[in-house]
């Protein structure tokens, strides 16, 4: 396995940050200083970061959190607002949010100590589907608007890919997208004349939010994690 991938899987940092850590000359493999993030390593190598041993991959944890509104989905917030990480008191674990939800968006977000898993679930090339429920303004939503959302709409940063869209009520839509652009669902709905009033993420790939109460979290089983990764 590539060294950067190994470090990310061991929870050292995200995949990209792990590459930087290696390039910065902070990593030794056995006794050798290695600056090539692509260097091949395995479980039998003794790997040190800043002189401290890195424990191997296999201690992965993944939590699902039902994010309330008003909570930011970054690990830290310079403005001191509550973060998804602060909602989840996982003793001694350094957790990363997997992707982002807007501050006002509620629903399913994952947190993990596995930078590699975070990468696999968020990098656009893996196209992991994410499903949202939106309550929108200017009801009723007409078939024309639903069809436009399905086909793709022209946003400032380019056209959106085809989406799966179900009309759940006069002012309610369920939208599944495979991209993860900033405020994408809000911008898509606004484009078709229906600004979003409330937005909730209800699924990431095969994993559903279900009846997890707002503000609560649960640890995913290894089987759930494997199923998530199987689609990416
Ligand atoms: N799309 C949005 O507009 N907001 C989110 O938080 C997630 C997807």
């Amino acid at each position: 396995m590539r060294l950067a991938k190994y470090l990310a899987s061991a929870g050292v940092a995200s995949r990209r940050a792990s590459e930087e850590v290696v390039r910065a000359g902070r990593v030794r493999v056995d006794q050798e200083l290695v600056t090539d993030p692509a260097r091949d390593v395995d479980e039998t190598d003794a790997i040190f970061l800043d002189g401290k041993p890195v424990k191997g991959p296999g201690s992965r944890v993944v939590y699902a959190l039902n994010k309330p509104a008003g909570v930011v989905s970054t690990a830290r917030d310079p403005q001191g607002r509550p973060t998804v990480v602060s909602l989840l008191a996982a003793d001694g674990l350094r957790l990363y949010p997997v992707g982002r939800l807007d501050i006002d968006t509620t629903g399913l977000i994952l947190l993990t100590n596995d930078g590699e898993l975070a990468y696999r679930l968020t990098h656009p090339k893996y196209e992991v589907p994410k499903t949202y429920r939106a309550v929108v303004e200017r009801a009723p939503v007409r078939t024309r608007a639903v069809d436009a959302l399905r086909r793709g709409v022209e946003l400032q940063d380019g056209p959106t890919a085809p989406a799966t869209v179900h009309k759940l009520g006069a002012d309610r839509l369920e939208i599944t997208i495979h991209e993860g652009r900033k405020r994408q669902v809000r911008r898509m709905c606004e484009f078709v004349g229906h600004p979003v009033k409330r937005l909730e993420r209800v699924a990431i790939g095969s994993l559903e939010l279900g009846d997890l109460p707002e503000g609560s979290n649960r640890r995913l089983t290894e089987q759930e994690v494997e199923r998530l990764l199987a689609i990416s």
Side-chain angles (χ1 to χ4, degrees):
M1 180 190 302
R2 289 155 58 100
L3 179 56
K5 185 171 173 175
Y6 182 100
L7 294 173
S9 304
V12 164
S14 68
R15 171 95 152 247
R16 203 160 299 150
S18 293
E19 290 177 359
E20 288 311 312
V21 162
V22 177
R23 285 201 192 95
R26 295 171 56 191
V27 178
R28 281 176 193 277
V29 178
D30 300 317
Q31 288 312 307
E32 182 194 351
L33 179 71
V34 175
T35 54
D36 175 9
R39 166 70 164 270
D40 204 34
V41 293
D42 63 31
E43 310 275 323
T44 64
D45 290 307
I47 295 172
F48 299 87
L49 169 65
D50 297 333
K52 297 197 194 89
V54 174
K55 61 181 177 349
S59 43
R60 165 172 80 194
V61 291
V62 186
Y63 291 89
L65 169 74
N66 185 348
K67 182 183 111 47
V71 173
V72 295
S73 58
T74 46
R76 271 174 295 279
D77 183 51
Q79 295 174 47
R81 293 170 296 187
T83 70
V84 288
V85 174
S86 67
L87 285 189
L88 204 152
D91 290 339
L93 286 175
R94 207 158 114 206
L95 296 176
Y96 310 96
V98 180
R100 298 274 180 264
L101 288 178
D102 300 335
I103 188 162
D104 293 331
T105 302
T106 60
L108 182 60
I109 187 161
L110 301 178
L111 292 104
T112 182
N113 61 346
D114 182 342
E116 177 63 18
L117 180 134
Y119 176 82
R120 287 270 301 275
L121 294 178
T122 51
H123 196 284
K125 77 177 173 193
Y126 295 113
E127 298 194 347
V128 175
K130 291 160 193 111
T131 301
Y132 298 86
R133 293 217 175 129
V135 180
V136 299
E137 291 175 15
R138 303 200 199 124
V141 179
R142 306 270 180 211
T143 307
R144 230 171 52 181
V146 173
D147 286 344
L149 290 171
R150 282 186 183 138
R151 278 194 307 269
V153 297
E154 191 63 48
L155 299 181
Q156 225 174 18
D157 50 353
T160 59
T164 305
V165 182
H166 298 292
K167 188 170 160 185
L168 304 178
D171 64 349
R172 265 147 231 261
L173 295 170
E174 186 176 271
I175 303 178
T176 301
I177 57 174
H178 299 256
E179 308 164 276
R181 292 196 238 158
K182 214 167 177 191
R183 299 179 72 79
Q184 182 169 340
V185 174
R186 291 176 195 273
R187 290 189 291 141
M188 286 168 68
C189 291
E190 192 156 346
F191 184 89
V192 297
H194 296 284
V196 167
K197 281 201 280 198
R198 282 207 306 276
L199 188 65
E200 179 184 36
R201 181 155 67 191
V202 294
I204 299 171
S206 54
L207 186 74
E208 292 181 0
L209 177 63
D211 54 10
L212 187 65
E214 207 168 287
S216 298
N217 66 79
R218 70 176 182 85
R219 187 169 165 186
L220 301 191
T221 63
E222 197 50 32
Q223 202 181 20
E224 285 175 310
V225 176
E226 289 304 327
R227 220 178 316 140
L228 260 177
L229 287 174
I231 55 155
S232 67

